[in-house]
């Protein structure tokens, strides 16, 4: 079974703090993703990575950065947390096979509920 | 850019009622379409997907969806819902490389026993 784990289920931080959210997958997937989930807005892609040290901006990258130094680990960084970054953060991974137009199921972690005070 | 619309934000049904959740996407090229489900307190998981071939796809737990290209739709159906189907359902579309997926805003389904 694919397993995607996230470092914390709940996190409370103060405005201005630097926040690290960690995600680890154990199935040797090439692709990894960070989303935020907000009521009424669904899932919005923050960043994704298709290889070690590679990253692509998603739909809402402002205020976030990412790091992928190892294939199994993808970190989301909030350089200076703000109250509007209070949200549920979901990490996902997928296997890359085939080229453009191919698809592989995304496997999700349990999520980290971040509250910024 | 691709986008996904889910028309129903909150649906309440009695057990044994039939279910249809609407999903429309906007992208003119080849698409892959999905429905994901998030049960209370659980991970988001894939319910079913359409990649190519038969436009009527069957997923887990008796769910099915029909891809109608002319209507840009991929509606989710189940003939008879159960209380255990209470969850949030997300439609999603992928049309490019690197498996980037765009999700809809979700539909919360509440099934009353």
């Amino acid at each position: 079974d694919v397993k995607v784990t996230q470092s914390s289920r709940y996190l409370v931080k103060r405005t201005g703090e630097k926040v690290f959210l960690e995600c680890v997958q154990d199935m040797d997937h090439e692709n990894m993703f960070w989303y935020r989930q907000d009521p009424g807005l669904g899932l919005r892609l923050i960043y994704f990575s298709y290889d070690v040290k590679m990253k692509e901006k998603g739909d809402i990258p402002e205020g976030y950065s990412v790091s992928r130094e190892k294939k199994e680990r993808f970190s989301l960084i909030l350089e200076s947390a703000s109250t509007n970054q209070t949200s549920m953060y979901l990490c996902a991974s997928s296997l890359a096979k085939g080229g453009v137009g191919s698809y592989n199921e995304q496997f999700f972690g349990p999520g980290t509920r971040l509250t910024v005070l | 850019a691709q986008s996904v619309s889910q028309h129903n934000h909150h649906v309440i049904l009695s057990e044994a009622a039939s279910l249809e959740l609407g999903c429309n996407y906007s992208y003119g090229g080849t698409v892959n379409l999905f429905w994901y489900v998030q049960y209370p307190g659980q991970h988001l998981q894939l319910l079913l997907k359409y990649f190519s071939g038969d436009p009527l796809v069957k997923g887990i737990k008796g769910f099915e969806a029909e891809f109608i290209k002319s209507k840009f739709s991929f509606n989710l159906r189940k003939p008879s819902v159960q209380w255990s189907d209470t969850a949030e359902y997300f439609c999603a579309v992928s049309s490019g490389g690197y498996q980037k997926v765009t999700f809809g805003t979700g539909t919360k389904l509440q099934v009353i026993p």
Side-chain angles (χ1 to χ4, degrees):
Chain A
D1 264 358
V2 175
K3 197 166 183 182
V4 179
T5 56
Q6 295 183 228
S7 50
S8 306
R9 291 300 301 272
Y10 299 94
L11 208 52
V12 179
K13 295 292 181 181
R14 297 209 172 271
T15 302
E17 279 192 79
K18 190 168 186 176
V19 182
F20 293 87
L21 302 183
E22 302 283 336
C23 175
V24 177
Q25 50 94 4
D26 66 0
M27 283 300 289
D28 204 34
H29 285 176
E30 289 83 3
N31 304 317
M32 296 189 75
F33 308 82
W34 275 106
Y35 296 90
R36 62 177 283 176
Q37 182 180 11
D38 299 289
L41 297 178
L43 275 71
R44 293 180 291 167
L45 182 65
I46 304 171
Y47 269 96
F48 63 103
S49 168
Y50 50 91
D51 202 350
V52 175
K53 297 192 186 294
M54 305 301 287
K55 60 185 180 184
E56 291 281 339
K57 291 180 179 179
D59 300 316
I60 51 164
E62 297 78 19
Y64 304 94
S65 62
V66 289
S67 172
R68 190 151 179 219
E69 297 296 319
K70 293 184 177 181
K71 192 175 184 179
E72 68 272 17
R73 190 179 296 270
F74 192 36
S75 302
L76 179 69
I77 303 154
L78 286 66
E79 295 290 343
S80 178
S82 64
T83 54
N84 62 14
Q85 292 177 309
T86 291
S87 185
M88 171 70 85
Y89 289 88
L90 299 179
C91 176
S93 70
S94 71
L95 188 64
K97 65 181 176 185
V100 172
S102 68
Y103 165 75
N104 290 285
E105 176 184 351
Q106 291 193 9
F107 293 85
F108 284 83
T112 295
R113 186 167 293 283
L114 172 67
T115 302
V116 183
L117 302 175
Chain B
Q2 60 199 27
S3 66
V4 180
S5 297
Q6 291 184 242
H7 317 298
N8 315 101
H9 298 293
H10 196 179
V11 173
I12 302 173
L13 293 174
S14 298
E15 273 193 317
S18 64
L19 170 72
E20 181 160 4
L21 301 183
C23 173
N24 287 92
Y25 64 93
S26 64
Y27 185 74
T30 302
V31 292
N32 301 324
L33 295 157
F34 323 94
W35 279 96
Y36 281 82
V37 61
Q38 189 172 34
Y39 297 103
Q42 294 190 27
H43 300 194
L44 206 66
Q45 58 185 286
L46 184 70
L47 196 56
L48 49 78
K49 68 185 179 188
Y50 172 78
F51 184 29
S52 63
D54 189 345
L56 183 64
V57 292
K58 296 191 184 298
I60 60 173
K61 303 188 181 185
F63 286 91
E64 66 179 30
E66 185 175 13
F67 169 51
I68 303 179
K69 191 174 180 179
S70 61
K71 294 184 178 181
F72 297 90
S73 70
F74 190 57
N75 292 354
L76 181 71
R77 300 194 294 246
K78 186 171 184 179
S80 176
V81 294
Q82 301 172 316
W83 176 78
S84 58
D85 294 323
T86 294
E88 189 160 15
Y89 294 81
F90 294 91
C91 182
V93 62
S94 172
S95 60
Y98 310 124
Q99 292 84 44
K100 180 184 172 183
V101 177
T102 299
F103 285 82
T105 53
T107 297
K108 285 189 177 176
L109 172 65
Q110 184 180 356
V111 180
I112 301 170

